[in-house]
């Protein structure tokens, strides 16, 4: 069987609020069986199976669900997100309990005040002080509105009914398409990949008694599968030189065109440049020519957010980045996500080891 040249980054089940543990476990096992069957038939590897739950009334309430669901994380390798929460630095113990068990969650900036942003910054710093790997499991939603996407940590559940979404891992596939036929070939390849992804999503949705919600066409990297490599080749300009944002915009417009053709695109549908997950971006950051604010400014135009960046500890610096992300989100009318790892005792250019991600260069704020 000829391999299609891309993978499914995630098949994600978004559970209804009434789903109990037995229902969640049953759906997960059915989804795994369906994915195994389809992979054997169609040859497309699924990188991860994910589950998104509706949040409890508080972070402490959500912590109460961890023990009963932990076997799915530890034994079955399922990524589980406990949804969008409001929290403060006082919730450190509950948040630690959740992420130390391998779960994900996100936090809402509802008021957009310095007080709120500093409280979240303090929570993040204290969590990263315990272990930088813990900060990987939380993200910040500057608008505080739910988004239906397979991407963690910002994924949420619609709450009323079960839904299935799919994400792709295809930077190299799209780069090869660009080299053969330019941006039109990239668009066509996105549409083709979405069509095959849809088969997986619909089959899983049927077998877990849910509905298929759609595919997030975002271009997200994994190490040598570099989103940055695609953008730099399309634009002919390297990050952070003048003109880079133009190439980034061209790729985002290609995603938008593909999304309009598929008719069921959901989520971000933008280029993603998570620092720790893109080998080429790690190199650029190590060259000390790019800052976290540079990446965040790109988010204001055509990027899904400031993601997986290790930065020197700074309570006000992180708070300011969160507020700037909120400003860009409001200007764009869509969520600009933030996931940061602030650490004491590091300087730009240093390297920090993160589990699953290897050595990650520290980027200046």
């Amino acid at each position: 069987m000829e391999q299609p040249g891309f993978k499914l980054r995630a098949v994600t089940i978004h559970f209804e609020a009434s789903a109990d543990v037995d229902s969640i476990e049953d759906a997960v096992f059915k989804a795994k069986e369906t994915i195994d069957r389809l992979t054997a038939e169609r040859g497309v590897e699924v990188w991860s199976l994910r589950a998104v739950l509706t949040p409890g009334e508080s972070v402490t309430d959500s912590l109460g669900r961890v023990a009963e669901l932990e076997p799915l994380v530890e034994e079955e390798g399922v990524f589980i997100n406990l949804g969008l929460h409001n929290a403060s630095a006082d919730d450190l113990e509950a948040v630690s309990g959740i992420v130390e068990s391998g779960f994900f969650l996100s936090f809402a900036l509802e008021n957009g005040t310095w007080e709120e942003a500093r409280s979240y910054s303090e929570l993040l710093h204290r969590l990263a002080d315990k272990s930088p790997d813990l900060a990987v499991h939380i993200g910040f939603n500057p608008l505080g509105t739910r988004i239906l996407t397979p991407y963690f940590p910002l994924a949420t559940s619609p709450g009323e009914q079960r839904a299935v979404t799919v994400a792709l891992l295809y930077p190299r596939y799209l780069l090869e398409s660009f080299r053969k036929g330019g941006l039109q070939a990239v668009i066509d390849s996105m549409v083709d990949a979405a069509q095959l992804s849809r088969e997986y999503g619909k089959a899983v949705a049927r077998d877990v008694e849910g509905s298929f919600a759609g595919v997030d066409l975002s271009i997200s990297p994994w190490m040598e599968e570099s989103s940055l490599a695609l953008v730099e080749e399309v634009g002919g300009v390297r990050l952070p030189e003048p003109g880079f944002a133009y190439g980034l915009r061209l790729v985002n417009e290609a995603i938008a065109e593909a999304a309009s053709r598929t008719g069921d695109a959901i989520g971000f549908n933008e280029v993603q440049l998570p620092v720790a997950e893109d080998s080429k971006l790690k190199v650029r950051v190590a060259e000390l020519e790019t800052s976290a604010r540079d990446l965040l400014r790109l988010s204001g135009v055509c990027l899904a957010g400031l993601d997986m960046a290790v930065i020197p500890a700074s309570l006000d610096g992180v708070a300011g980045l969160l507020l700037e992300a909120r400003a860009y989100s409001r200007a764009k009318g869509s969520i600009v996500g933030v996931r940061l790892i602030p650490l004491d005792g590091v300087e730009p250019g240093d390297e920090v080891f993160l589990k699953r991600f290897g050595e990650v260069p520290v980027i200046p704020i």
Side-chain angles (χ1 to χ4, degrees):
M1 178 185 301
E2 184 179 354
Q3 299 298 309
F6 61 87
K7 299 176 183 178
L8 302 193
R9 188 182 188 96
V11 172
T12 303
I13 308 170
H14 305 255
F15 285 95
E16 67 280 10
S18 59
D20 58 19
V21 175
D22 290 341
S23 174
I24 294 169
E25 289 180 343
D26 181 64
V28 164
F29 290 127
K30 286 180 178 177
K32 289 173 72 76
E33 291 176 358
T34 302
I35 289 169
D36 288 344
R37 173 177 57 80
L38 286 170
T39 300
E41 293 174 357
R42 304 294 279 150
V44 180
E45 178 185 347
V46 176
W47 199 44
S48 65
L49 175 61
R50 306 182 179 190
V52 184
L53 311 185
T54 54
E57 292 294 323
S58 67
V59 178
T60 301
D61 288 340
S62 290
L63 175 61
R65 306 198 72 180
V66 166
E68 57 189 9
L69 292 169
E70 200 166 4
L72 290 179
V73 175
E74 292 188 348
E75 299 171 17
E76 302 299 328
V78 179
F79 293 177
I80 299 181
N81 190 323
L82 297 179
L84 180 64
H85 295 73
N86 295 312
S88 71
D90 295 334
D91 293 301
L92 176 65
E93 184 176 346
V95 173
S96 296
I98 289 171
V99 298
E100 285 172 354
S101 298
F103 290 70
F104 294 79
L105 73 165
S106 59
F107 298 115
L109 271 74
E110 289 202 328
N111 304 319
T113 63
W114 273 102
E115 181 181 7
E116 180 186 42
R118 286 192 179 104
S119 180
Y120 276 133
S121 178
E122 182 182 349
L123 173 64
L124 180 62
H125 278 78
R126 290 168 65 186
L127 192 67
D129 283 345
K130 297 183 74 170
S131 169
D133 292 295
L134 298 181
V136 169
H137 286 253
I138 67 171
F140 292 94
N141 180 328
L143 292 182
T145 55
R146 295 188 300 185
I147 180 170
L148 185 62
T149 177
Y151 281 100
F152 282 22
L154 297 190
T156 61
S157 173
E160 299 299 325
Q161 62 180 17
R162 191 169 300 181
V164 174
T165 61
V166 180
L168 288 146
L169 179 59
Y170 60 168
R172 186 181 293 122
Y173 173 69
L174 298 180
L175 179 58
E176 292 172 355
S177 297
F178 178 74
R179 289 169 174 170
K180 292 176 182 177
L183 280 172
Q184 187 57 53
V186 171
I187 294 168
D188 293 341
S189 293
M190 289 182 192
V191 173
D192 291 344
Q195 181 175 352
L196 189 52
S197 302
R198 192 179 296 114
E199 292 183 28
Y200 279 69
K202 287 186 173 181
V204 170
R206 181 187 63 247
D207 292 345
V208 303
E209 300 180 4
S211 61
F212 174 63
V215 181
D216 191 324
L217 293 175
S218 293
I219 301 173
S220 62
W222 183 250
M223 303 311 173
E224 297 306 318
E225 283 265 4
S226 170
S227 297
L228 181 61
L230 172 64
V231 174
E232 289 189 341
E233 185 146 342
V234 168
V237 179
R238 69 193 294 276
L239 179 73
E241 297 296 328
F244 174 80
Y246 175 68
L248 185 57
R249 187 62 196 169
L250 289 176
V251 178
N252 250 33
E253 288 174 352
I255 298 173
E257 174 62 25
S260 69
R261 284 174 54 182
T262 64
D264 58 5
I266 49 87
F268 292 103
N269 296 300
E270 294 192 278
V271 175
Q272 299 189 10
L273 292 176
V275 176
E277 299 180 31
D278 189 312
S279 293
K280 194 158 194 173
L281 184 52
K282 287 184 182 182
V283 172
R284 293 287 179 266
V285 168
E287 292 168 349
L288 297 180
E289 295 180 1
T290 302
S291 70
R293 289 195 73 202
D294 290 335
L295 294 178
L296 190 54
R297 290 188 189 100
L298 292 172
S299 300
V301 181
C302 44
L303 193 67
L306 174 59
D307 195 13
M308 288 299 298
V310 180
I311 59 174
S314 170
L315 286 172
D316 280 352
V318 168
L321 289 173
L322 292 176
L323 292 176
E324 289 194 355
R326 180 177 171 86
Y328 288 130
S329 295
R330 294 178 68 179
K332 284 178 71 174
S334 59
I335 294 168
V336 171
V338 176
R339 185 164 44 159
L340 298 169
I341 303 100
L343 297 176
D344 279 317
V346 300
E347 299 290 338
D350 292 347
E351 291 194 333
V352 173
F353 180 81
L354 297 176
K355 294 176 183 176
R356 293 185 62 239
F357 305 98
E359 298 290 343
V360 181
V362 177
I363 188 171
I365 293 178

